[in-house]
Amino acid sequence: AAKNAGRNRYSYFTSDMQAAAQQRLRLTRDLQMAVANEQFELHYQPIVNLRTGGIERAEALLRWRHPERGLLAPGDFIGSAEASGVILEIGDWVFRHAADQAKRWQEELGRPFQISVNQSPAQFRGGQQVFEEWGRYVERLQLAPRSIVIEITERLLLDHSGPVVERLGQFKSMGLQVALDDFGTGHSVLAHLKKFDIDYLKIDRSFVMDLAGDSGDLALCEGIIVMAHKLGLKVVAEGVETETQLALLKAAGCDYAQGYVYAHPMPPAELQAQLRGQV
Ligand code: C2E
Ligand code: MG
Ligand code: MG
Ligand code: MG
């Protein structure tokens, strides 16, 4: 009986693994079709200048309108897109759409407006051609390159390989701006802040969450802000949900905030209505 149970457990295990592998395969195939069938959308979350209260920028956040499963957030599919390499095509789509949108909003508002786009480390392992194409794309649009902020994570800066260093340099020489996302969650890379030419630090939500109750988190945020300013970087606080958090961040000299206290990510038409009301 014991042997039987063991065998059963084993066969359950393999069939589970098979099912998981099959599901991954299906997800990869669906992702490829999603690119071709234009099932992706960008939603935008305002980033607010804490001194002026104005929306200077928005972060483009990817959504997948899945024909059966509805609107999916990146957590549901980015991992598979990275593992299968489909992220390269998706990333290309994201960049071009974000650039188009920045151009449209600038024309509509008659003032500078930036859009940040997220980049997975996997996108840096591709060739440099795609980035050269982006440069030409931005030029053809007659969009000021600094209108695009590339968001990368600390994970990427730990990769000292030639291509990563080169790509980041390439972004900067194209005139794009760079933000270090989820700051504080990686194996910290304080030394790199000086070495890489970064424009914005985004304090991760995990430090903002308990800002009101945890004096340690408050001390960390204050410290990050002072350090960033000394290095000539601007600071964005992510995941700001309450007025109390906002007040503490303002008092600490934080430059920008983004979070549900202002707005959830929303379709472009909704943000456009808000921006229009603001001018
Ligand atoms: P992220 O770049 O750190 O984006 C911030 C995430 O926090 C977004 O989740 C946003 O909806 C969420 N958020 C914003 N404000 C608040 C708040 O006040 N409270 C809470 N609880 N959450 C808040 P989302 O849209 O699910 O995106 C998750 C991650 O997926 C992003 O984290 C980014 O790393 C990645 N991602 C999004 N779009 C893209 C993309 O186009 N390409 C790549 N490679 N990655 C992307
Ligand atoms: Mg981001
Ligand atoms: Mg982030
Ligand atoms: Mg984050």
Side-chain angles (χ1 to χ4, degrees):
K3 208 171 154 195
N4 251 342
R7 190 155 47 229
N8 278 341
R9 214 176 303 128
Y10 179 72
S11 65
Y12 274 128
F13 183 54
T14 48
S15 71
D16 275 359
M17 286 200 324
Q18 261 165 7
Q22 243 156 29
Q23 211 178 348
R24 268 200 305 277
L25 218 62
R26 169 147 18 99
L27 189 55
T28 302
R29 202 198 49 210
D30 284 358
L31 278 166
Q32 272 154 350
M33 301 225 297
V35 177
N37 297 338
E38 310 221 14
Q39 290 169 1
F40 291 111
E41 295 175 16
L42 291 177
H43 284 194
Y44 293 89
Q45 186 176 36
I47 299 175
V48 175
N49 181 321
L50 291 178
R51 254 181 301 279
T52 64
I55 303 174
E56 264 176 37
R57 183 160 72 247
E59 178 169 7
L61 294 157
L62 187 63
R63 299 290 180 263
W64 178 8
R65 200 163 289 280
H66 192 284
E68 288 130 38
R69 295 163 64 198
L71 195 64
L72 302 182
D76 299 319
F77 61 88
I78 279 284
S80 296
E82 286 170 356
S84 61
V86 186
I87 192 69
L88 296 180
E89 280 169 79
I90 297 175
D92 194 39
W93 181 91
V94 167
F95 183 90
R96 289 165 199 264
H97 270 253
D100 291 346
Q101 188 63 261
K103 182 68 185 177
R104 275 199 299 275
W105 277 336
Q106 288 182 4
E107 280 177 351
E108 158 115 359
L109 300 167
R111 65 168 167 93
F113 189 84
Q114 290 179 308
I115 291 183
S116 348
V117 294
N118 293 283
Q119 296 273 298
S120 317
Q123 297 178 251
F124 280 75
R125 286 192 283 272
Q128 70 179 50
Q129 275 121 307
V130 66
F131 298 144
E132 285 167 4
E133 279 169 32
W134 291 356
R136 284 192 289 275
Y137 192 76
V138 165
E139 212 173 277
R140 265 203 312 280
L141 273 179
Q142 295 188 293
L143 178 70
R146 59 167 288 115
S147 312
I148 302 289
V149 182
I150 301 288
E151 296 201 358
I152 57 166
T153 60
E154 289 172 291
R155 245 184 328 149
L156 184 77
L157 298 189
L158 291 175
D159 181 347
H160 291 275
S161 66
V164 163
V165 179
E166 231 173 83
R167 293 304 169 270
L168 272 176
Q170 204 180 342
F171 280 143
K172 292 300 298 189
S173 63
M174 282 159 67
L176 307 180
Q177 294 204 300
V178 176
L180 193 54
D181 206 351
D182 303 341
F183 183 74
T185 57
H187 309 267
S188 220
V189 284
L190 292 181
H192 296 120
L193 287 183
K194 225 180 77 168
K195 179 167 157 207
F196 293 102
D197 193 358
I198 284 158
D199 302 288
Y200 302 98
L201 267 197
K202 299 189 74 173
I203 301 180
D204 191 65
R205 189 170 74 87
S206 55
F207 299 104
V208 172
M209 227 154 47
D210 300 324
L211 211 48
D214 187 325
S215 58
D217 283 347
L218 182 57
L220 275 173
C221 285
E222 288 170 342
I224 291 171
I225 292 164
V226 168
M227 175 196 65
H229 286 167
K230 290 205 164 160
L231 290 169
L233 310 176
K234 300 268 190 217
V235 182
V236 185
E238 291 194 283
V240 184
E241 295 185 352
T242 69
E243 292 292 342
T244 312
Q245 291 163 355
L246 200 56
L248 290 167
L249 288 162
K250 271 187 197 165
C254 188
D255 304 287
Y256 298 92
Q258 172 181 3
Y260 298 164
V261 69
Y262 291 118
H264 287 248
M266 61 188 108
E270 265 174 56
L271 180 57
Q272 183 158 333
Q274 283 200 17
L275 290 172
R276 234 186 252 133
Q278 186 184 261
V279 176

